[in-house]
């Protein structure tokens, strides 16, 4: 027993020593980092010592440049002339051609790497991942045609990063403009607003970005083009703000894209990259600072902007997202068209199921719904030439909407177009023994007492008044469950945030 006690004491003593030494090391490291970042301490350091300190703190990254015209070689040379030990990464989507005028075999270039993100058979994933080479606490992104400023500017701007996370510095005498990004990932939307001040989500104007490497590693695709636009959308998603240091500036390099042909080419590349960025990040609706709205997703001429629907569960719910806004807009168009056509021929119809629930909650389609449901009186079907013709085969009406009989049961669908199959379900009901019933047995919207339609009421839905059953609460609670209006369930029992 005594031997076991002695062993336990020795183990505890050893653990205690390890903890004490670890805390001493952390304190020393923190003080050393603070000393490196404090201008008053480092200003008088010998140049070589400061260069070594900078190389341990910052990796310089040159991300966006054009193969057909750039100033990358001069940017790299200017950095190495001032700070020969600092690591430099040149990141591109594919190896530039013509090649950059840099001699990577030269000893002075030993800390410079050209990294192509494009998969290659002789390159591993790690070798193509810029984050693999970033071993420093901070990362400085230099735009093409930029020159570093004085030693003091470098010191003072870097010293701001530990407390601010992301700082940006203008290049030249340009004035930077602050932008606020209202990013709603669940709704697939981004709204850009110009704001005043020096703390914001994004900026307009050429600038240098200095960021804590920990923030960079949190992003899904930190080197996505266009840079830095894509970077700031992603930093907004993780709650990081950028801070403009207006009292400092970096220097301009060689002027680029001075002829109209080069300017046009750069503009076209930016539009292409921006569209790809929004598609990759899942932004379907973008509202610019000017107020203009742009859609990046489904249109009437393209397939709907989400995948399969299985057991009434659309694929986007598995991504913790709601229905893409372009799909909601398309559904509203189909709904308005169908209602117009039903009213033209005098068919008795009403809002059904989840669509009626959406009308009660917000006067619109439920944010997670992928179709609209309308009930109608089966005795009136022959009044519509489109429904009569759709019994035999799908038919396209004069406005390009597709009417067809569903393969799943005795009801009809009206599609947005032949390509985009967003649709409204038309559910024929008929009276039997005081109830309204239907033959589309698999749909959840079951029978209900005929009295709910005598008389009918109306409700606002998708921007217009639509007929609906009376006593809507009782109707919906009969269809679903008590309290469904206040506490609806998503398909597949997904939780509502």
């Amino acid at each position: 027993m005594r031997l076991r006690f002695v062993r336990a004491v020795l183990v505890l003593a050893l653990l205690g020593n390890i903890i004490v030494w670890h805390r001493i090391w952390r304190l020393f490291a923190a003080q050393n980092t603070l000393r490196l970042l404090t201008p008053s301490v480092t200003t008088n350091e010998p140049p070589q010592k400061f260069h070594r300190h900078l190389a341990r703190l910052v990796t310089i990254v040159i991300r966006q440049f054009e193969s057909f015209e750039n100033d990358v070689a001069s940017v790299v040379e200017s950095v190495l002339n001032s700070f020969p030990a600092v690591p430099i990464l040149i990141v591109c989507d594919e190896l530039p051609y013509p090649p950059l005028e840099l001699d990577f075999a030269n000893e002075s270039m030993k800390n410079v790497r050209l990294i192509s993100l494009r998969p290659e058979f002789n390159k591993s994933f790690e070798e193509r991942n810029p984050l693999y080479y970033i071993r420093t606490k901070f990362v400085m992104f230099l735009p093409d045609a930029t020159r570093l400023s004085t030693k003091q500017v470098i010191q003072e701007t870097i010293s701001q990063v530990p407390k601010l996370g992301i700082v940006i510095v203008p290049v030249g005498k340009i004035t930077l403009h602050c932008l606020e990004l209202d990013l709603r990932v669940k709704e697939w939307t981004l709204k850009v607003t110009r704001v005043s001040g020096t703390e914001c989500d994004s900026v307009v104007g050429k600038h240098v970005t200095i960021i804590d490497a920990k923030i960079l590693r949190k992003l899904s695709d930190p080197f996505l083009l266009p840079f830095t636009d894509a970077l700031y959308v992603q930093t907004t998603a993780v709650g990081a703000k950028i801070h403009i240091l207006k009292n400092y500036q970096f220097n301009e390099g060689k002027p680029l894209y001075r002829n109209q042909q080069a300017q046009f080419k750069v503009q076209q590349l930016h539009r292409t990259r921006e569209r790809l960025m929004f598609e990759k990040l899942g932004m379907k609706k973008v509202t610019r600072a000017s107020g203009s709205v742009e859609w990046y997703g489904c249109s009437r001429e393209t397939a709907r902007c989400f995948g399969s629907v299985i057991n009434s569960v659309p694929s986007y719910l598995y991504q913790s997202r709601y229905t893409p806004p372009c799909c909601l807009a398309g559904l509203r168009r189909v709904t308005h068209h169908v209602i117009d056509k039903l009213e033209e021929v005098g068919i008795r119809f009403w809002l059904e199921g989840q669509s009626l629930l959406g009308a009660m909650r917000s006067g619109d389609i439920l944010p997670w719904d992928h179709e609209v449901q309308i009930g109608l009186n089966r005795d009136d079907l022959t009044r519509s030439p489109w429904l009569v013709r759709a019994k035999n085969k799908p038919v396209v009406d004069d406005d390009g909407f597709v009417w067809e009989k569903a393969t799943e049961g005795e009801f009809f669908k009206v599609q947005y177009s032949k390509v985009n199959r967003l649709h409204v379900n038309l559910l024929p009901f008929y009276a039997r023994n005081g109830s309204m019933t239907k033959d589309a047995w698999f749909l959840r919207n079951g029978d209900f007492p005929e009295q709910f339609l005598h008389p009918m009421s109306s409700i606002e839905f998708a921007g217009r008044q639509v007929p609906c059953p009376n006593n809507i609460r009782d109707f919906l609670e009969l269809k679903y469950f008590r309290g469904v209006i206040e506490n609806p369930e998503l398909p597949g029992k997904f939780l509502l945030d």
Side-chain angles (χ1 to χ4, degrees):
M1 287 291 294
R2 183 174 298 176
L3 183 59
R4 289 182 181 177
F5 176 75
V6 171
R7 286 179 178 174
V9 170
L10 288 174
V11 170
L12 290 174
L14 181 61
L15 289 174
N17 283 331
I18 292 173
I19 293 171
V20 169
W21 281 109
H22 177 69
R23 290 191 174 182
I24 292 173
W25 174 82
R26 288 192 64 179
L27 180 62
F28 173 78
Q31 291 176 342
N32 190 48
T33 300
L34 182 62
R35 181 178 62 82
L36 290 175
L37 293 176
T38 305
S40 60
V41 174
T42 59
T43 301
N44 297 322
E45 286 183 344
Q48 290 184 347
K49 190 173 182 181
F50 173 67
H51 297 165
R52 291 195 299 270
H53 291 168
L54 186 69
R56 292 197 299 269
L57 284 175
V58 182
T59 298
I60 289 179
V61 177
I62 303 170
R63 173 57 182 115
Q64 184 163 331
F65 58 93
E66 307 302 341
S67 295
F68 61 86
E69 184 179 352
N70 63 72
D71 190 38
V72 173
S74 298
V75 175
V76 172
E77 290 172 3
S78 70
V79 172
L80 294 178
N81 288 337
S82 301
F83 307 103
V86 70
I88 302 174
L89 303 180
I90 306 169
V91 181
C92 51
D93 285 341
E94 56 185 32
L95 292 176
Y97 189 83
L100 299 175
E101 296 178 354
L102 292 170
D103 183 7
F104 290 96
N106 193 300
E107 177 65 20
S108 65
M109 299 282 289
K110 63 182 180 180
N111 296 321
V112 182
R113 289 183 179 273
L114 176 62
I115 302 172
S116 171
L117 301 178
R118 185 173 182 174
E120 298 180 38
F121 285 117
N122 60 339
K123 293 287 181 67
S124 68
F125 174 78
E126 284 187 339
E127 290 176 299
R128 295 186 292 103
N129 183 7
L131 292 176
Y132 175 73
Y133 301 99
I134 295 175
R135 312 293 169 83
T136 56
K137 186 175 179 59
F138 309 115
V139 178
M140 178 185 292
F141 288 101
L142 287 184
D144 194 9
T146 299
R147 304 289 185 267
L148 294 185
S149 299
T150 64
K151 175 182 175 181
Q152 184 177 359
V153 169
I154 301 297
Q155 289 174 310
E156 293 183 4
T157 53
I158 293 175
S159 70
Q160 302 293 318
V161 182
K163 61 181 179 180
L164 298 178
I166 309 174
V167 301
I168 63 173
V169 183
V171 175
K173 297 181 180 180
I174 191 171
T175 300
L176 301 180
H177 299 286
C178 237
L179 299 176
E180 180 184 86
L181 304 182
D182 183 7
L183 176 65
R184 301 189 180 187
V185 177
K186 189 181 290 289
E187 287 83 12
W188 311 72
T189 62
L190 174 67
K191 183 178 181 180
V192 183
T193 307
R194 181 170 285 193
V195 294
S196 57
T198 58
E199 178 181 297
C200 47
D201 299 317
S202 183
V203 292
V204 175
K206 188 175 180 180
H207 61 278
V208 171
T209 306
I210 311 170
I211 184 171
D212 192 312
K214 289 181 180 178
I215 297 176
L216 202 64
R217 295 181 188 279
K218 293 179 181 178
L219 309 182
S220 61
D221 194 350
F223 302 96
L224 181 64
L225 296 179
F227 205 83
T228 54
D229 297 356
L231 176 71
Y232 296 147
V233 172
Q234 295 175 81
T235 54
T236 299
V238 299
K241 291 285 186 178
I242 62 176
H243 302 81
I244 302 175
L245 304 182
K246 291 185 175 181
N247 296 329
Y248 307 98
Q249 72 175 49
F250 283 70
N251 300 323
E252 284 272 17
K254 182 181 76 173
L256 298 174
Y257 321 127
R258 285 174 289 181
N259 64 65
Q260 291 186 354
Q261 183 181 16
Q263 292 171 10
F264 176 78
K265 192 171 183 178
V266 169
Q267 291 171 359
Q268 292 296 104
L269 284 169
H270 179 78
R271 291 192 190 98
T272 301
R273 290 164 179 162
E274 193 174 55
R275 175 170 289 278
L276 289 173
M277 172 190 72
F278 289 135
E279 289 178 359
K280 285 185 176 181
L281 297 180
M283 298 294 102
K284 304 293 187 182
K285 180 182 179 182
V286 177
T287 305
R288 301 287 186 178
S290 63
S292 64
V293 177
E294 297 172 1
W295 297 93
Y296 297 87
C298 55
S299 68
R300 199 174 189 192
E301 291 72 34
T302 65
R304 67 185 183 191
C305 48
F306 61 88
S308 300
V309 179
I310 300 174
N311 295 328
S312 299
V313 180
S315 57
Y316 50 80
L317 288 181
Y318 287 95
Q319 303 174 41
S320 299
R321 288 183 160 187
Y322 287 157
T323 309
C326 51
C327 290
L328 292 174
L331 277 174
R332 293 185 191 102
R333 283 191 63 184
V334 184
T335 301
H336 293 171
H337 178 75
V338 169
I339 290 173
D340 287 341
K341 293 302 179 183
L342 296 180
E343 288 179 341
E344 281 178 9
V345 294
I347 290 181
R348 292 166 289 178
F349 68 93
W350 59 92
L351 209 54
E352 262 287 351
Q354 293 283 321
S355 301
L356 181 58
L357 178 59
M360 277 293 286
R361 285 178 59 84
S362 63
D364 203 351
I365 302 167
L366 288 171
W368 58 84
D369 217 351
H370 62 281
E371 61 189 13
V372 170
Q373 297 172 339
I374 293 177
L376 48 80
N377 196 306
R378 191 178 70 175
D379 296 339
D380 295 344
L381 291 182
T382 55
R383 296 182 182 182
S384 168
W386 303 114
L387 289 175
V388 171
R389 294 168 64 184
K391 284 183 178 181
N392 299 317
K393 62 179 182 179
V395 56
V396 181
D397 67 21
D398 299 334
D399 298 298
F401 295 87
V402 181
W403 299 65
E404 66 180 14
K405 189 174 182 298
T407 58
E408 305 95 323
E410 295 298 320
F411 67 101
F412 295 86
K413 294 181 178 181
V414 183
Q415 316 277 5
Y416 195 12
S417 68
K418 285 184 176 180
V419 178
N420 192 319
R421 299 182 67 81
L422 291 168
H423 62 271
V424 171
N425 284 335
L426 295 177
L427 313 175
F429 283 80
Y430 56 94
R432 186 175 65 185
N433 300 326
S435 293
M436 296 298 293
T437 187
K438 65 182 185 325
D439 295 329
W441 55 269
F442 80 99
L443 293 174
R444 185 175 181 180
N445 301 299
D447 301 354
F448 60 90
E450 193 175 358
Q451 65 189 28
F452 280 108
L453 300 181
H454 302 296
M456 278 202 280
S457 183
S458 68
I459 193 170
E460 183 177 346
F461 181 70
R464 64 187 296 169
Q465 288 293 314
V466 181
C468 69
N470 58 59
N471 294 318
I472 298 174
R473 176 177 292 276
D474 292 344
F475 182 84
L476 287 172
E477 291 187 349
L478 174 67
K479 293 268 186 172
Y480 297 102
F481 54 87
R482 189 176 181 83
V484 65
I485 296 173
E486 290 76 20
N487 300 292
E489 290 182 350
L490 274 71
K493 304 295 184 182
F494 285 89
L495 296 178
L496 191 65
D497 292 339

